[in-house]
Amino acid sequence: MDDKKRQITKIAREVSKFTVRTMRADGIGVGEFDVIHAIRKNPGITQADVCRITGLDKGAVARQTANLEAKGYLERRENPDDGRSRRLYATEKAESLKNSKAQIETAFYEWLLAPLPESDRAEFTRILETLYLRCKAESQADFPEMTAKMKGGEEHGN
């Protein structure tokens, strides 16, 4: 396999384009997806936490959280630990948006795999799950093997 083609990345990018186009109809932008996701996964986080998780700057997060609050996708509550900050929570509207995004992605992948025979789909799904679990474990460990590989790769020109 010519791993330089990065086919998984290219497919994910196309699915993302379609998902974003479809979700824009609900008035949600690409960066706002990331903010909603961070808040959904970490209820009660602060804007500073959103910055840390998403890598977005403070101003971008402030604008996006204000927009998402105005659109009804999140709410702010008092922070009992710090009177100067407020905690962010996803609303039911944000939860249904997440489901819509998942439904769009699911429909796209079902369409993509439809021409394959069932045995090929099953084998592909099995292999993909194996790769996903390896990827997730590396991510949860804060990418130690990939970090070492990239440091070693720089020395070897990889």
Side-chain angles (χ1 to χ4, degrees):
M1 178 171 101
D2 181 1
D3 55 4
K4 304 274 189 282
K5 290 182 180 178
R6 302 176 4 263
Q7 302 303 57
I8 292 173
T9 301
K10 291 176 182 179
I11 292 168
R13 189 178 304 128
E14 298 304 322
V15 173
S16 179
K17 279 195 254 182
F18 177 74
T19 301
V20 167
R21 177 184 301 164
T22 304
M23 297 304 294
R24 274 215 179 104
D26 290 334
I28 300 297
V30 178
E32 289 174 324
F33 282 143
D34 294 337
V35 170
I36 289 171
H37 182 73
I39 294 167
R40 279 191 64 258
K41 293 292 185 186
N42 303 280
I45 66 173
T46 63
Q47 283 187 187
D49 294 329
V50 174
C51 292
R52 182 181 48 77
I53 291 168
T54 62
L56 296 169
D57 67 51
K58 200 168 142 181
V61 169
R63 283 188 303 278
Q64 289 176 356
T65 54
N67 288 340
L68 290 168
E69 185 177 20
K71 294 174 186 177
Y73 290 105
L74 67 86
E75 62 184 30
R76 297 172 197 265
R77 299 181 197 156
E78 285 188 32
N79 183 348
D81 302 327
D82 179 359
R84 298 171 296 151
S85 69
R86 302 185 45 108
R87 299 206 176 256
L88 302 168
Y89 296 87
T91 63
E92 286 301 316
K93 188 174 181 179
E95 294 297 333
S96 67
L97 177 66
K98 178 259 174 193
N99 291 334
S100 295
K101 183 177 184 227
Q103 290 168 352
I104 293 165
E105 291 169 344
T106 297
F108 194 102
Y109 285 118
E110 286 173 355
W111 168 83
L112 185 64
L113 295 175
L116 298 178
E118 179 56 39
S119 60
D120 288 355
R121 283 194 304 257
E123 180 65 3
F124 177 73
T125 301
R126 184 192 66 75
I127 293 168
L128 202 54
E129 180 69 8
T130 300
L131 296 174
Y132 168 73
L133 292 174
R134 183 170 192 233
C135 178
K136 188 69 174 176
E138 178 72 359
S139 173
Q140 289 175 334
D142 200 27
F143 303 102
E145 291 184 40
M146 284 306 306
T147 300
K149 182 175 180 61
M150 295 308 295
K151 286 180 180 176
E154 290 172 4
E155 296 170 9
H156 298 42
N158 292 339

